[in-house]
């Protein structure tokens, strides 16, 4: 709602404006008497319109009073007048009046002039006062437009490393100078590109959108080179010479912090990979965090979905599509599938974000089992062609499918208890209600007999049933593949119960994963150190 205050001695203008904007309820016109300007100090305004023709006060003095009011400073002032003398107009403009409209203007002219002025005000208010760059609303709007139009584009997420330490030591004013430097460097390399966009999320976080054909690697390298050179000018020589900052913590001990660097996460949005801007943001956060794990300035690019560079891996995908064709995938193959599809940030992010306090505490069904199921489920989901959002939902169930366990025995109800805990502990933030229902259904059904699945899944809307069943089958098979951990005669892996060619092809990989993971719990996390 835009609040527009009309300074007038009668209701003629406000009634006219209300009639003109009758079909636009987001515009709220409020009348103020010229003798009652103190009202402005008690409210916030999006625009002030002075009707010079009907006021009994000198318009120049009235304009001065509105400018003196703290709440009105920065608010655009429009004067509607019958005095079209140029010298009069100039006096008003000198006082800071933003627009002069003759009272002879038509309703249509008045409508578009005021509407456009308000839109400009709102756009400027959404810009960062520090950098002048568009904020969150305009960033989301731009991304939504590109998704809606089916465009191919890339999103770059920027974040400064060790910036808090710099602010603590040098102060926020110097910190603001580094933020402005960052904005200028990003603009230097992004603005010249066709169809580019740059936004300032806030603080030291920036977003840029570039064409899908632009060379993101080259752009990132140039930004990093310029930043690493220019940022040193904002440090004292002694800090630059030793290559780190020193500060005493609360306990009086001296801590060392690396000099401020920049991390960039790049998301390639093509081939209808993403359906919602939230999915892009989640992927962006994952790749940016991977970049931040590297020393100094760095960038990580999330490759497009299904990009399998190896001819051998392409052959695997083709073979798996053929009925009855069973491949023999090893752990190195499964790892390649995840890496070359660009999904290792997704895997690492989910492993690192496991809420360990609610994971079932057990060697058999505990965190180690959860990590292996995550890797198996993700690789199968990729080979089965799941979309990005479904992969994330699948991994959400893989993380918490056993939190409802009470023991390590066979228990068909532990899936249902896990689903209830997902809801009660508010784990599924950021998902729509439809997505929450699917995730809970997968979780609840993963522990029941296959013959009962259809009966449960029918509770979902018809358009969600096949999607849910596909993810459910993958989770059940990933869970089943990790039965290699069980002792002989106690329900260990039986290949005849696996449901898809993809899972049957991964038996060797499952054995290798268990044996390696048992020796080295950091196996999966090591993937984050792979150079892309």
């Amino acid at each position: 709602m835009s609040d527009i205050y009309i300074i007038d001695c009668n209701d003629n203008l406000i009634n006219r404006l209300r009639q003109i904007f009758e079909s636009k309820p987001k515009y709220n016109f409020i009348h103020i008497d010229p003798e009652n300007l103190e009202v402005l100090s008690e409210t916030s305004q999006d625009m002030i319109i002075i009707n010079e023709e009907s006021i009994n006060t000198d318009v120049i003095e009235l304009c001065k009073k509105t400018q003196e009011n703290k709440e009105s400073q920065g608010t655009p002032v429009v004067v509607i007048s019958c005095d079209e003398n140029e010298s009069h107009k100039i006096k008003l403009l000198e006082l800071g009046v933003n627009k002069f409209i003759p009272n002879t203007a038509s309703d249509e002219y008045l409508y578009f002039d005021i509407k456009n002025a308000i839109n400009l005000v709102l756009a400027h208010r959404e810009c960062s006062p520090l950098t002048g760059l568009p904020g969150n609303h305009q960033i989301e709007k731009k991304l939504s437009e590109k998704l809606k139009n089916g465009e191919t584009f890339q999103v770059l997420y920027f974040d400064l490393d060790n910036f808090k330490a710099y602010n603590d030591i040098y102060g926020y004013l110097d910190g603001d100078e580094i933020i402005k430097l960052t904005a200028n460097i990003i603009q230097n390399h992004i603005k010249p590109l066709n169809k580019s966009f740059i936004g300032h999320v806030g603080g030291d976080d920036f977003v840029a959108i570039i064409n899908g054909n632009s060379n993101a690697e080259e752009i990132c390298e140039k930004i990093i080179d310029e930043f690493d050179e220019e940022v040193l000018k904002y440090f004292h020589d002694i800090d630059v010479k030793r290559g780190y900052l020193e500060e005493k913590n609360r306990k009086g001990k001296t801590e060392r912090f690396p000099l401020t660097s920049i991390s960039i996460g790049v998301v390639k949005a093509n081939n209808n990979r993403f359906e919602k801007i939230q999915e892009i943001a989640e992927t962006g956060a994952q790749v940016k965090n991977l970049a931040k794990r590297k020393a100094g300035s760095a960038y990580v690019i999330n490759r497009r979905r299904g990009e399998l560079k190896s001819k051998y891996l392409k052959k695997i995908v083709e073979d798996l599509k053929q009925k009855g064709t069973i491949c023999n995938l090893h752990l190195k193959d499964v790892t390649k599938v995840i890496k070359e599809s660009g999904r290792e940030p997704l895997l690492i992010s989910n492993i690192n974000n496991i809420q360990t306090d609610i994971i079932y505490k057990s060697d058999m069904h505990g965190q180690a089992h959860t990590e292996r199921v995550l890797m198996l489920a993700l690789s199968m989901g990729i080979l089965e062609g799941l979309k990005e959002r479904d992969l994330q939902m699948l991994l959400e169930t893989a993380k918490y499918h056993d939190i409802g366990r009470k023991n390590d025995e066979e228990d068909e109800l532990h899936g249902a208890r896990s689903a209830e805990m997902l809801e009660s502990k508010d784990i599924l933030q950021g998902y729509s209600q439809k997505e929450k229902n699917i995730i809970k259904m997968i979780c609840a059904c993963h522990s029941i007999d296959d013959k009962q699945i259809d009966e449960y899944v029918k509770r979902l809307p018809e358009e969600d049933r096949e999607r849910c069943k596909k993810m459910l089958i993958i989770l059940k098979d990933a869970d089943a593949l990790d039965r290699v951990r069980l002792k002989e005669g106690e329900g260990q892996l039986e290949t005849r119960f696996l449901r898809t060619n993809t899972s049957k092809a991964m038996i060797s990989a499952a054995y290798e994963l268990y044996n390696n993971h048992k020796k080295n719990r950091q196996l999966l996390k090591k993937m984050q150190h792979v150079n892309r």
Side-chain angles (χ1 to χ4, degrees), residues 12-264:
N12 293 339
L13 177 61
I14 195 169
N15 289 335
R16 180 187 176 194
L17 290 172
R18 283 171 177 168
Q19 186 174 0
I20 293 171
F21 286 84
E22 186 177 7
S23 62
K24 304 290 182 182
K26 66 178 182 178
Y27 296 95
N28 183 32
F29 294 97
I30 303 161
H31 181 267
I32 297 182
D33 190 277
E35 302 298 325
N36 192 27
L37 291 186
E38 60 268 20
V39 173
L40 295 177
S41 63
E42 302 168 358
T43 60
S44 59
Q45 312 91 34
D46 295 302
M47 178 181 284
I48 296 172
I49 298 177
I50 301 173
N51 186 9
E52 184 181 5
E53 188 177 1
S54 72
I55 59 175
N56 50 19
T57 307
D58 180 62
V59 71
I60 301 295
E61 291 301 316
L62 197 58
C63 288
K64 286 180 180 179
K65 288 182 180 179
T66 60
Q67 294 297 321
E68 291 169 0
N69 188 295
K70 288 185 179 181
E71 287 295 328
S72 301
Q73 289 175 2
T75 301
V77 177
V78 176
V79 172
I80 298 178
S81 175
C82 60
D83 186 352
E84 297 190 50
N85 185 282
E86 186 171 350
S87 62
H88 180 61
K89 292 180 185 178
I90 291 173
K91 284 183 182 179
L92 292 172
L93 293 174
E94 284 177 341
L95 288 171
V97 170
N98 302 84
K99 187 175 285 292
F100 180 95
I101 302 177
N103 71 336
T104 55
S106 67
D107 287 357
E108 187 176 19
Y109 183 93
L110 204 58
Y111 170 78
F112 283 110
D113 212 10
I114 292 175
K115 182 177 80 71
N116 292 344
I118 283 289
N119 288 342
L120 188 61
V121 169
L122 297 178
H124 279 298
R125 283 185 177 175
E126 289 174 354
C127 290
S128 164
L130 185 62
T131 63
L133 293 172
N136 278 320
H137 177 73
Q138 292 183 66
I139 295 170
E140 292 175 2
K141 183 179 178 182
K142 181 64 68 174
L143 287 171
S144 295
E145 287 175 358
K146 289 189 172 292
L147 284 180
K148 185 178 179 180
N149 296 334
E151 295 182 42
T152 295
F153 59 96
Q154 302 172 81
V155 189
L156 285 66
Y157 292 87
F158 303 87
D159 190 12
L160 299 184
D161 312 311
N162 305 300
F163 186 60
K164 183 181 183 302
Y166 181 90
N167 274 337
D168 290 344
I169 295 171
Y170 282 82
Y172 287 98
L173 291 178
D174 284 350
D176 283 350
E177 293 304 311
I178 288 187
I179 289 176
K180 287 191 280 187
L181 167 73
T182 306
N184 290 334
I185 292 173
I186 293 171
Q187 290 181 88
N188 289 344
H189 297 280
I190 300 295
K191 266 191 172 182
L193 303 175
N194 186 33
K195 294 184 178 180
S196 65
F197 173 89
I198 306 164
H200 188 178
V201 178
D204 57 324
D205 288 307
F206 295 86
V207 171
I209 304 172
I210 60 176
N211 193 289
N213 296 324
S214 298
N215 189 333
E217 295 185 34
E218 183 180 338
I219 293 166
C220 290
E221 288 169 0
K222 287 181 177 179
I223 289 174
I224 286 173
D225 287 345
E226 185 176 351
F227 180 87
D228 286 347
E229 180 180 348
E230 293 297 321
V231 77
L232 296 180
K233 298 175 182 178
Y234 296 82
F235 289 86
H236 299 319
D237 290 343
I238 187 173
D239 292 330
V240 174
K241 187 174 181 179
R242 63 190 178 192
Y244 58 84
L245 300 175
E246 282 191 347
E247 184 185 27
K248 287 187 177 181
N249 61 24
R250 293 178 181 177
K251 296 181 180 180
K253 292 184 178 180
T254 299
E255 290 186 293
R256 293 180 177 180
F257 300 93
L259 302 184
T260 304
S261 55
I262 189 168
S263 292
I264 311 171

Side-chain angles (χ1 to χ4, degrees), residues 446-492:
H446 92 274
S447 60
I448 65 174
D449 190 275
D450 286 4
K451 295 176 182 177
Q452 299 175 274
I453 289 176
D454 284 338
E455 178 185 344
Y456 282 88
V457 173
K458 281 180 181 178
R459 299 174 186 178
L460 295 173
E462 188 173 354
E463 66 270 17
D464 296 330
R465 293 171 191 171
E466 287 305 313
R467 178 187 181 193
C468 178
K469 281 180 67 174
K470 189 169 185 177
M471 287 187 275
L472 173 57
I473 287 171
I474 291 172
L475 178 64
K476 284 174 76 73
D477 273 4
D479 197 19
L481 279 168
D482 198 49
R483 292 179 74 86
V484 296
R485 71 197 183 285
L486 302 180
K487 294 179 181 178
E488 186 177 353
E490 294 184 8
Q492 73 276 18

Side-chain angles (χ1 to χ4, degrees), residues 278-292:
Q278 181 186 27
E279 298 170 24
I280 299 176
E282 289 172 354
T283 305
Q286 292 161 8
V287 290
K288 188 177 70 175
N289 287 336
L290 283 180
K292 290 180 77 67

